[in-house]
Amino acid sequence: MPDNTHADRLYWPDERVTKGDLAEYGRAVWRWMEPHVTDRPLTVLRCPEGVNGESFFQRHPWKGMRPHIHPAIDPDGRPDRPLIAIHDLDGLVDLIHSAALEIHVWNAPLADLEHPDRIVMDLDPGDDVGWTAICDAAIEVRDRLERAGLAAFVKTSGGRGLHVVTPLRPHADWAAVRTFARALADAMAHDQPEIYVSTISKARRHGRILIDYLRNQRTATAVAPYSPRARPGAQVSMPLSWSDLAAGATPGDFTIMTTPGRLARRASDPWAGFHAASRVLPD
């Protein structure tokens, strides 16, 4: 039976999005979201009073944790500090009822924590960078990945940026994947320093796009596909096809309120073939 406890609690007050609305959203997008969030370590952003209240990240079990959120042992971690994971839709609903408004995932599954199965390149624009430039950056990342023999998929970050995600066959270790991602980011910053940077410094980001490769290290996370963001607007991190991007899709198009309808009108999953496109990281 659905848990309707405090279903009318406002999580996004300005948009009038309630806890019950978020649970309905989760059920509506689950078949697309499931392969990206199940059976891998999670970090969640919990906002018990909604987006305007106190928030905190949680990556370990807590007192009173609901039954479909499971502890997961990290062989390299402390035995008394397991990670958390979900296995099914009931787990997602339990996260929502625990006020987890954002879900962030490791780049490796529980079955093989030492070998990532994806690369995430996070394109984080400076305040004065336009959307067209961000899209051009994603296409540049895609083209470089394809020249290396890898596939590339794109999603909105749920903010102003884009994530370019590459599926991998779990073979290379974390150090190799991080080295590859850093080399790609550094090469873009070297080739077009007026457009791109690969260092975190805010001062260097003015008018440029940070190619953030640091999602690609052990214990780091990236916001999951279809996860909402705990920010005004109730946007979600939306997988897109490259033709969606070319057709003018923007981050504001994809919110908790609009995304289920958009998915229902699609002929296919925007990330169809993601897992089939997995390749071994090249040397």
Side-chain angles (χ1 to χ4, degrees), residues 58-72:
Q58 187 114 34
R59 60 184 303 172
H60 302 293
W62 60 91
K63 183 178 180 180
M65 190 170 76
R66 296 172 71 96
H68 298 287
I69 307 168
H70 301 281

Side-chain angles (χ1 to χ4, degrees), residues 37 76 104 200 235 244 280:
V37 298
D76 283 357
H104 299 248
I200 296 295
Q235 292 183 16
D244 290 333
V280 172

Side-chain angles (χ1 to χ4, degrees), residues 85-166:
I86 61 172
H87 304 320
D88 50 31
L89 175 57
D90 289 336
L92 177 65
V93 173
D94 274 2
L95 287 175
I96 291 168
H97 286 294
S98 302
L101 303 195
E102 295 188 7
I103 300 173
H104 299 248
V105 296
W106 278 38
N107 286 350
L110 290 173
D112 190 355
L113 289 179
E114 304 313 318
H115 298 97
D117 65 355
R118 61 190 63 195
I119 299 170
V120 177
M121 304 301 291
D122 181 359
L123 310 184
D124 188 0
D127 291 340
D128 52 348
V129 175
W131 178 241
T132 298
I134 302 166
C135 294
D136 289 345
I139 292 167
E140 176 69 16
V141 173
R142 178 198 67 187
D143 292 348
R144 289 175 183 255
L145 288 166
E146 289 180 346
R147 288 197 293 271
L150 298 172
F153 294 77
V154 67
K155 67 183 181 76
T156 66
S157 67
R160 295 183 57 241
L162 289 169
H163 291 173
V164 180
V165 185
T166 294

Side-chain angles (χ1 to χ4, degrees), residues 142-198:
R142 178 198 67 187
D143 292 348
R144 289 175 183 255
L145 288 166
E146 289 180 346
R147 288 197 293 271
L150 298 172
F153 294 77
V154 67
K155 67 183 181 76
T156 66
S157 67
R160 295 183 57 241
L162 289 169
H163 291 173
V164 180
V165 185
T166 294
L168 294 177
R169 292 181 188 166
H171 175 76
D173 62 15
W174 287 103
V177 170
R178 183 181 186 277
T179 296
F180 178 90
R182 179 172 183 170
L184 190 156
D186 286 347
M188 289 180 64
H190 176 271
D191 294 347
Q192 295 179 284
E194 72 283 3
I195 301 176
Y196 305 123
V197 294
S198 59

Side-chain angles (χ1 to χ4, degrees), residues 192-210:
Q192 295 179 284
E194 72 283 3
I195 301 176
Y196 305 123
V197 294
S198 59
T199 55
I200 296 295
S201 168
K202 286 275 189 183
R204 297 193 62 193
R205 248 191 280 180
H206 180 73
R208 293 184 284 187
I209 299 169
L210 171 66

